[in-house]
Amino acid sequence: MSDDFQPACPVPIGQYEHIVLAHGGGGRLMQQLLERLVQPAFANPYLAARHDSAVFEAGGQRLAFTTDSYVVKPLFFPGGDIGKLAVCGTLNDLAMAGAKPLFLSAALIIEEGLAIADLKRVLDSMAATAKAAGVMIVTGDTKVVDRGKGDGLFINTAGIGLVGPGVDISPAQVRPGDVVLVNGDIGRHGIAIMAQREGLAFETTLESDCADVSGLVAGLLEAGVELHCLRDLTRGGLASTLIEIAQSAGLGIVLEETAVPVREDVAGACEILGFDPLYVANEGRFAAFVPEAHAERALAWLRAHPLGENAQAIGRVVAAHGGAVHLETAFGVGRVLDLLSGEQLPRIC
Amino acid sequence: MSDDFQPACPVPIGQYEHIVLAHGGGGRLMQQLLERLVQPAFANPYLAARHDSAVFEAGGQRLAFTTDSYVVKPLFFPGGDIGKLAVCGTLNDLAMAGAKPLFLSAALIIEEGLAIADLKRVLDSMAATAKAAGVMIVTGDTKVVDRGKGDGLFINTAGIGLVGPGVDISPAQVRPGDVVLVNGDIGRHGIAIMAQREGLAFETTLESDCADVSGLVAGLLEAGVELHCLRDLTRGGLASTLIEIAQSAGLGIVLEETAVPVREDVAGACEILGFDPLYVANEGRFAAFVPEAHAERALAWLRAHPLGENAQAIGRVVAAHGGAVHLETAFGVGRVLDLLSGEQLPRIC
């Protein structure tokens, strides 16, 4: 055997020489993994932009390109399934760059033993979600791994979208004075998954917020709302998303706790389970950074749409506190939000 | 729990109600899965074309788009690793549509416990392979699954390429009289993986043929060679590839066994292991269908290139035998090649 197959010397990241679940959790360990290992390896300005999609010119046209793998457990949950999630997630990542989604790919990694009926149900769900969004799944791949080497089904989707002229949505466009909007109540996806996984029963069934918000973003753009930055509130939830944007933009964000919409049943479940809803994953919620003069119009537009009826202005961008998010609590006390080191809920998306 | 979570009724495909390894093997069971389940769910003309890449117009430009997940075991093997494979595989799929690769995505599904040193080695390999091809990995995703729910590392790459004017390479372009070329000896990737996996030792180390052939295809196009169809000889090997193209094109292919280049050590290993090299996977080999008048020029061009020095004309397209591949053996006896039901070598790519 050649030298190529000798064990490599350890390459620690912080105290870790091996990957732990938290490296995929959307918190500080994941940020370290990306900043110390992935981004240096692939060093280029597109990745460095740390946007949900890469935006580039191809053939005289600006395109957005994005990918996500989905490893959610269980495969089926109230309000959705891994197929709906895989399509919505990639549509949303395109929308967060202001792109109109055009085409998706779908790649399946199936564990030997998966019921074909379950696979069919997931595929039908993907197809229905794509159809509703007016996009086509045009290319794909199927792999099967041995029993015990996967977990039922993992799905990767990648997507291509068209970015219209004049659209420039990215963390670099965030300005002091921008108002931060959210399109609805937060925390439902994470809690729905957790409840399903742990067999917890609440008085009402908590459904995931999993949804395609690309139509909502297209509508805001058509309505002439100036969108500086958009970001969906997935792994790590609202808090982690805002911290990342504050860091990328080098600006501060003041978040008003009382303005953040959280449904009572979600708040109750979070209390029981010991989670902070600000850090719980969503799959149909996004933060929009808009200039103050456009905030009212954006809110009115969002609230007229079923996926934005609980939209709220939840904070503002300030020149102070560069790179940090200040939470103003109900008691008027401020505190700085931290990235959690790991994750609250593994395998949430 | 709502009705949504009741077990679904069985949906058999042939005799199978559950996924088996062979459903991912590139043979008949995989074809059944795609034709009976995946393609009907996502029904659209791009998928129906059964090409390695979808080709479509976007912003007045023709683009190719493709995706593949890589689940090869072991992660490191003579001649490559999962990272090199994941980049080459998607570059090659773009090249098979005659596209110039532009941008790639990379999505990792990591099993808890993977050594960060191994991850770094794979990422560096991906970066080096992409750099050598002049493409950038511009977007990505990282997921971590619990120990025992993955297998070290799975990688998905998707790719976007630009299809030049007048280029129309697909099974639908195959014509009677076309000559079938292959760019080198076959079977090395599959045998290298198998030898590594099983700890088999041969006199010489058998290295995978894993390579990016996009430059080779670009060169053929620049040299003015008319390319009717290209297909890389991955899962299922040369035989399965030619059978699929014969079926898609509704034409016959006559394959001359003695013309197919197989290295002596590969032939020997196949004999010991009980494999037919015609069905063993390759990762740097493709079949090219060219009009007879262009065959000599194409061969000369290929042979001048390190990745094509063993290129051969191995067969021809005929109007007879619609949908079938006839093998003319060394003894002058013909037989029809069948798709194998399952796969010879699981987890080969």
Side-chain angles (χ1 to χ4, degrees), chain B residues 16 20 26 93 120 128 137 147 155 159 170 214 231-232 257 260:
Chain B
Y16 296 98
V20 296
D93 279 346
K120 181 178 188 325
I137 295 170
R147 207 180 285 265
I155 301 180
S170 85
S214 63
R231 184 68 58 96
D232 51 351
E257 189 172 39
V260 177

Side-chain angles (χ1 to χ4, degrees), chain B residues 97-311:
Chain B
K100 176 184 156 52
L102 295 179
F103 296 104
L104 299 185
S105 65
L108 313 172
I109 298 177
I110 311 173
E111 186 191 7
E112 187 185 7
L114 180 73
I116 292 174
D118 284 338
L119 180 60
K120 181 178 188 325
R121 195 168 149 204
V122 170
L123 292 172
D124 289 345
S125 172
M126 294 182 79
T129 309
K131 191 177 177 187
V135 303
M136 276 191 280
I137 295 170
V138 294
T139 189
D141 180 53
T142 303
K143 293 290 190 306
V144 181
V145 295
D146 342 30
R147 207 180 285 265
K149 300 297 182 184
D151 197 13
L153 179 63
F154 301 143
I155 301 180
N156 177 281
T157 51
I160 297 178
L162 210 52
V163 183
V167 174
D168 188 2
I169 296 172
S170 85
Q173 299 304 314
V174 174
R175 296 284 175 271
D178 281 357
V179 176
V180 184
L181 310 177
V182 67
N183 69 312
D185 63 288
I186 62 164
R188 256 198 280 155
H189 176 73
I191 296 300
I193 295 283
M194 193 62 182
Q196 170 78 3
R197 202 189 283 166
E198 304 295 324
L200 301 180
F202 300 104
E203 274 179 38
T204 51
T205 298
L206 253 169
E207 291 208 340
S208 165
D209 49 57
C210 176
D212 159 29
V213 299
S214 63
L216 211 51
V217 173
L220 285 170
L221 286 171
E222 275 165 32
V225 173
E226 199 177 314
L227 297 169
H228 285 172
C229 184
L230 300 170
R231 184 68 58 96
D232 51 351
L233 311 177
T234 55
R235 277 181 292 182
L238 174 65
S240 308
T241 300
L242 295 185
I243 292 166
E244 277 175 23
I245 290 177
Q247 289 176 347
S248 296
L251 294 166
I253 297 173
V254 176
L255 181 63
E256 291 167 44
E257 189 172 39
T258 52
V260 177
V262 182
R263 262 174 39 172
E264 221 171 290
D265 50 2
V266 171
C270 281
E271 213 169 292
I272 293 168
L273 296 165
F275 296 138
D276 180 342
L278 291 177
Y279 290 88
V280 174
N282 312 270
E283 290 292 340
R285 298 291 181 253
F286 62 96
F289 290 72
V290 300
E292 194 170 4
H294 287 234
E296 275 311 312
R297 183 143 51 105
L299 267 182
W301 199 96
L302 286 169
R303 285 174 178 161
H305 191 289
L307 293 173
E309 58 189 0
N310 297 315

Side-chain angles (χ1 to χ4, degrees), chain A residues 2-347:
Chain A
S2 78
D3 283 341
D4 281 334
F5 300 96
Q6 295 299 320
C9 293
V11 176
I13 298 184
Q15 62 176 298
Y16 296 97
E17 288 180 9
H18 294 86
I19 294 290
V20 296
L21 276 174
H23 281 121
R28 202 167 61 241
L29 288 190
M30 182 161 167
Q31 198 180 55
Q32 286 177 356
L33 180 71
L34 297 180
E35 288 180 355
R36 300 190 194 173
L37 209 66
V38 179
Q39 289 175 3
F42 298 155
N44 67 62
Y46 301 99
L47 265 191
R50 298 184 50 185
H51 204 7
D52 283 326
S53 293
V55 176
F56 46 75
E57 299 260 344
Q61 184 65 54
R62 280 197 307 154
L63 295 176
F65 181 32
T66 190
T67 188
D68 262 331
S69 294
Y70 298 85
V71 300
V72 67
K73 189 181 177 171
L75 299 180
F76 304 97
F77 49 83
D81 57 67
I82 191 173
K84 181 181 178 186
L85 191 64
V87 172
C88 289
T90 288
L91 294 175
N92 292 347
D93 279 347
L94 291 172
M96 296 301 109
K100 175 183 157 53
L102 294 179
F103 297 103
L104 299 184
S105 65
L108 313 172
I109 299 176
I110 310 173
E111 185 191 8
E112 188 186 7
L114 180 72
I116 293 175
D118 285 338
L119 180 60
K120 181 177 188 325
R121 196 168 148 203
V122 169
L123 293 173
D124 288 345
S125 173
M126 294 182 79
T129 309
K131 192 177 177 189
V135 303
M136 276 190 281
I137 296 169
V138 294
T139 189
D141 179 53
T142 303
K143 293 290 191 304
V144 180
V145 296
D146 343 28
R147 208 180 285 266
K149 300 297 181 183
D151 197 12
L153 179 62
F154 302 144
I155 301 179
N156 177 281
T157 51
I160 298 179
L162 210 52
V163 183
V167 174
D168 188 1
I169 296 173
S170 86
Q173 299 304 314
V174 174
R175 296 286 175 269
D178 280 357
V179 175
V180 184
L181 310 177
V182 67
N183 69 312
D185 63 288
I186 63 165
R188 258 198 278 156
H189 176 71
I191 295 300
I193 295 283
M194 194 62 181
Q196 170 78 2
R197 199 187 286 164
E198 304 295 324
L200 301 179
F202 300 104
E203 274 181 39
T204 52
T205 299
L206 255 168
E207 292 209 338
S208 164
D209 48 56
C210 176
D212 159 29
V213 299
S214 63
L216 212 51
V217 172
L220 286 170
L221 286 170
E222 276 165 31
V225 172
E226 199 176 314
L227 296 170
H228 285 173
C229 185
L230 300 170
R231 183 69 59 94
D232 50 351
L233 312 176
T234 55
R235 277 181 292 183
L238 175 65
S240 308
T241 300
L242 295 185
I243 293 166
E244 276 175 22
I245 291 178
Q247 289 176 348
S248 297
L251 294 167
I253 296 173
V254 176
L255 180 64
E256 290 168 44
E257 189 172 39
T258 52
V260 177
V262 183
R263 259 173 43 169
E264 221 170 289
D265 50 2
V266 172
C270 281
E271 214 170 293
I272 295 167
L273 296 164
F275 295 138
D276 181 342
L278 291 177
Y279 290 88
V280 174
N282 312 270
E283 289 292 341
R285 298 291 181 252
F286 62 95
F289 290 71
V290 300
E292 195 171 4
H294 286 234
E296 275 311 311
R297 184 144 50 109
L299 268 182
W301 199 95
L302 287 169
R303 286 174 178 162
H305 191 290
L307 292 173
E309 57 189 0
N310 297 315
Q312 292 291 345
I314 58 170
R316 59 192 187 281
V317 178
V318 294
H321 318 309
V325 177
H326 269 248
L327 183 72
E328 290 193 344
T329 66
F331 310 104
V333 186
R335 65 179 173 96
V336 173
L337 293 181
D338 276 328
L339 279 185
L340 300 184
S341 73
E343 67 177 332
Q344 297 191 320
L345 305 170
R347 309 279 304 276

